[in-house]
């Protein structure tokens, strides 16, 4: 038999149902790999080994009973350290929250538990989830397993590093400006940012402008669709509720997408951004592959212009202020976080509201362009994975922030619009570094994205060409 970590999440769930594998055996396998490999990878900030084994024993007993089993029984799924898991420490990526223990579960954590998953630990995230790289004062940097000198991205950097290194079969992440798709790209994974309002942030985290959402990171489309199916829900008090999907997410994996009209655009909205030749090679490769599958791929005008960037920045500055920090602990904040919060506290309420209004108006006009297509193809990021420390090898936090913007100018557009978007791990450089491309879908239509993603995955073959990093 293959190693346990060679199996997909769905294959592990089936092995548990058929009693070929025990949840305890699966959990011990991953805990051993984490202990051995994670000091190099930096995927986890908190490991919950005892709790995980207790959950695995309960799952094993349930599997032996054999009736009405949850869909992902016995499958280890880590939780990002921006999400609350009752009685487990949560840092939010910040040294200012050391010693804080979550008082309740996030509702998405409850959904994953109800689906039978095993919570093996909390994955690393940058401070308050703000940067697109995962380097903090509370845990080692998260590194892409394809080259351990390079960043795993962020803010779901730990989650992506864990899946790419075979430390978890799949993971829960979240995405406020590309935080699922960016690390999926630099770690060679499939990630879904769902439609705004598809997954609740209840009971504590506000949805406010609707930029952020939870979502899955996985090696395969089917695993991601299965996770999305159990994560999708709403709770009383949610400000946004996505329209019902016309097709179930797991059903969409095996459904033919039909011939799609796909618009493509590789013009970054952020001034000064330059798209690396390797990224353009991935973009052209994806275009040709989609055309070979029978889709119409046409160049489209950019749906947004650079005027939206300063308005989005105002929201980002203000959201940096959402986590309360004791003034005596502010010296523990990283320089970038202090700079972002200073800008946020200096932004007036009318300025914030006007920025929100301007972005909504821009989105309405953007949809006039994007709704002419079934999907939109762009690069995910502008460069191959960058070295750990690259974003901060300048003394000025403002320059660090602008480097982030130039690195990931494509992803945040779909947080503004609320559309679903996925990263397809289709290309590797000659040096073996992964580069993803992004497909965005119509509002509420994750199903079409999942269907065409599964079609592309099948055309490429295996684990996206049967690629695995050396430490696998």
């Amino acid at each position: 038999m293959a190693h346990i970590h060679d199996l997909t999440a769905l294959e592990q769930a089936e092995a548990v149902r058929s009693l070929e594998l025990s949840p305890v055996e699966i959990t011990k396998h991953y805990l051993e790999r984490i202990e051995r490999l994670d000091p190099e990878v930096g995927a986890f900030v908190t490991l919950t080994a005892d709790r995980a084994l207790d959950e695995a024993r309960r799952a094993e007993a349930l599997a032996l009973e054999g009736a009405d089993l949850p869909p992902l029984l016995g499958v280890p799924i880590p939780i990002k350290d921006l999400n609350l898991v009752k009685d487990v420490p949560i840092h939010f990526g910040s040294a200012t929250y050391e010693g804080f223990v979550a008082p309740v579960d996030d509702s998405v954590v409850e959904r994953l538990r109800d689906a039978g998953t095993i919570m093996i630990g909390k994955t690393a995230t940058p401070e308050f989830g703000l940067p697109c790289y995962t380097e903090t004062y509370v845990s080692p940097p998260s590194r892409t397993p394809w080259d351990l000198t390079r960043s795993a991205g962020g803010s779901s950097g730990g989650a992506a590093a864990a899946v790419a290194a075979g430390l978890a079969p799949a993971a829960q992440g979240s995405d406020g400006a590309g935080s699922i798709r960016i690390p999926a790209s630099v770690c060679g994974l499939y990630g879904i940012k769902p439609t705004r309002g598809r997954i609740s942030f209840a009971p504590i985290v506000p949805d406010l402008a609707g930029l952020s959402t939870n979502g899955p990171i996985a090696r395969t489309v089917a695993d991601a669709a299965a996770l999305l199916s159990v994560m999708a829900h709403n709770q009383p008090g949610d400000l946004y509720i996505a329209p019902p999907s016309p097709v179930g997410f797991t059903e969409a994996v095996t459904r033919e997408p039909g011939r799609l009209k796909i618009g493509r655009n590789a013009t970054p909205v952020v001034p000064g951004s330059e798209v690396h030749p390797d990224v353009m090679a991935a973009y052209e490769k994806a275009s040709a592959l989609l055309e070979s599958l029978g889709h119409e791929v046409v160049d489209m005008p950019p749906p947004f212009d650079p005027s939206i960037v300063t308005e989005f920045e105002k929201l980002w500055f203000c959201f940096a202020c959402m986590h309360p920090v004791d003034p005596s602990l502010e010296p523990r904040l990283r320089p970038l976080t202090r700079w972002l919060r200073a800008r946020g506290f200096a932004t007036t309420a009318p300025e914030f509201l006007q920025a929100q209004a301007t972005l909504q108006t821009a989105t309405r006009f953007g949809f006039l362009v994007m709704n002419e297509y079934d999907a939109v193809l762009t690069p995910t990021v502008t460069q191959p994975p960058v070295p750990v420390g690259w974003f901060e090898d300048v003394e000025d936090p403002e320059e660090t922030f602008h480097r982030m913007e130039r690195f990931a100018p494509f992803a945040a557009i779909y947080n503004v619009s609320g559309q679903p978007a996925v990263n397809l791990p289709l290309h590797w450089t000659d040096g073996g570094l992964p580069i993803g491309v992004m497909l965005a879908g119509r509002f509420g239509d994750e199903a079409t994205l999942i269907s065409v993603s599964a079609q592309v995955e099948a055309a490429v073959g295996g684990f996206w060409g049967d690629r695995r990093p050396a430490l696998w």
Side-chain angles (χ1 to χ4, degrees):
M1 186 183 110
H3 293 297
I4 288 173
H5 62 277
D6 288 324
L7 302 176
T8 68
L10 288 175
E11 288 170 343
Q12 290 178 17
E14 178 56 36
V16 168
R17 282 193 296 272
S18 64
L19 303 183
E20 294 178 34
L21 281 176
S22 154
V24 174
E25 183 182 4
I26 295 171
T27 301
K28 285 183 176 179
H29 177 83
Y30 280 109
L31 291 174
E32 183 277 328
R33 282 185 64 82
I34 293 167
E35 182 179 357
R36 179 163 48 89
L37 298 175
D38 196 49
E40 290 184 277
V41 177
F44 286 86
V45 64
T46 301
L47 195 62
T48 55
D50 292 341
R51 178 190 180 116
L53 288 170
D54 286 344
E55 291 181 1
R57 294 184 191 102
R58 290 194 291 271
E60 182 174 6
L62 191 59
L64 291 171
E65 293 176 9
D68 298 323
L69 298 181
L72 296 175
L73 183 67
V75 179
I77 301 293
I79 303 298
K80 184 176 175 178
D81 205 40
L82 292 182
N83 291 79
L84 302 170
V85 179
K86 190 175 187 296
D87 298 328
V88 174
I90 182 166
H91 299 83
F92 304 102
S94 178
T96 64
Y97 274 80
E98 285 191 276
F100 182 70
V101 176
V104 296
D105 287 321
D106 275 358
S107 59
V108 72
V109 171
E110 293 176 336
R111 297 282 298 194
L112 288 166
R113 185 179 298 119
D114 290 346
T117 68
I118 308 298
M119 210 289 286
I120 54 175
K122 303 295 295 295
T123 55
T125 187
E127 195 157 54
F128 305 147
L130 297 167
C132 64
Y133 56 98
T134 305
E135 298 168 30
T136 76
Y137 292 149
V138 297
S139 62
S142 296
R143 303 169 184 270
T144 176
W146 298 91
D147 180 345
L148 293 171
T149 69
R150 296 176 185 265
S151 170
S155 65
S156 303
V163 177
L167 308 184
Q172 172 269 341
S174 58
D175 190 315
S179 291
I180 285 173
R181 293 156 290 156
I182 295 165
S185 177
V186 300
C187 290
L189 299 169
Y190 183 72
I192 303 175
K193 183 203 85 70
T195 300
R196 175 179 296 144
R198 183 68 71 200
I199 301 174
S200 177
F201 268 114
I204 292 176
V205 180
D207 34 18
L208 294 180
L211 296 178
S212 295
T213 178
N214 290 283
I217 297 176
R219 289 190 292 149
T220 69
V221 176
D223 280 359
L227 269 183
L228 181 58
S229 292
V230 302
M231 294 167 75
H233 73 290
N234 290 106
Q235 296 282 88
D238 288 350
L239 292 180
Y240 305 99
I241 297 177
S245 176
V247 178
F249 303 130
T250 54
E251 178 187 347
V253 176
T254 56
R255 186 190 69 160
E256 287 296 319
R259 187 171 192 262
L260 303 180
K261 182 179 181 182
I262 299 174
R264 70 171 204 159
N265 167 44
T267 303
V269 71
V270 175
S273 300
E274 296 182 6
V275 182
H276 191 280
D278 284 334
V279 173
M280 286 303 298
Y283 173 74
E284 296 295 348
K285 178 180 177 180
S287 300
L289 178 56
L290 288 164
E291 284 188 326
S292 75
L293 293 171
H295 303 295
E296 179 187 6
V297 180
V298 297
D299 291 319
M300 62 177 284
F304 294 92
D305 65 57
S307 66
I308 71 166
V309 175
T310 56
E311 305 306 318
F312 181 84
E313 288 174 345
K314 291 174 187 175
L315 297 191
W316 208 247
F317 297 152
C318 291
F319 288 138
C321 305
M322 288 297 297
H323 284 82
V325 175
D326 186 318
S328 68
L329 299 179
E330 287 186 1
R332 297 188 185 181
L333 294 170
R334 292 179 71 85
L336 175 64
T337 309
R338 291 200 297 271
W339 181 82
L340 290 169
R341 285 167 67 88
R343 297 294 298 268
F345 284 122
T347 302
T348 66
E351 288 173 331
F352 175 88
L353 293 171
Q354 187 59 55
Q356 177 77 4
T358 301
L359 289 174
Q360 185 177 10
T361 300
T363 298
R364 285 172 167 153
F365 283 100
F367 276 129
L368 295 177
V369 176
M370 294 185 290
N371 283 346
E372 294 296 312
Y373 309 93
D374 299 299
V376 174
L377 172 70
T378 71
T380 303
V381 294
T382 60
Q383 300 180 50
V386 298
V388 169
W390 179 82
F391 288 100
E392 295 184 355
D393 70 2
V394 290
E395 294 184 3
D396 184 3
E398 183 173 5
E399 176 55 25
T400 292
F401 180 68
H402 291 314
R403 284 190 176 191
M404 290 166 46
E405 291 182 311
R406 294 191 295 268
F407 181 75
F410 297 100
I413 285 173
Y414 303 113
N415 298 89
V416 172
S417 69
Q419 294 166 260
V422 302
N423 178 75
L424 300 175
L426 280 180
H427 186 72
W428 271 256
T429 69
D430 291 342
L433 296 176
I435 297 177
V437 295
M438 185 165 55
L439 275 180
R442 294 174 185 243
F443 194 90
D445 193 13
E446 292 94 333
T448 294
L449 288 181
I450 290 169
S451 293
V452 71
S453 298
Q455 182 188 51
V456 169
E457 181 183 43
V460 173
F463 171 33
W464 300 95
D466 202 31
R467 291 180 179 269
R468 292 174 176 82
L471 59 68
W472 189 265

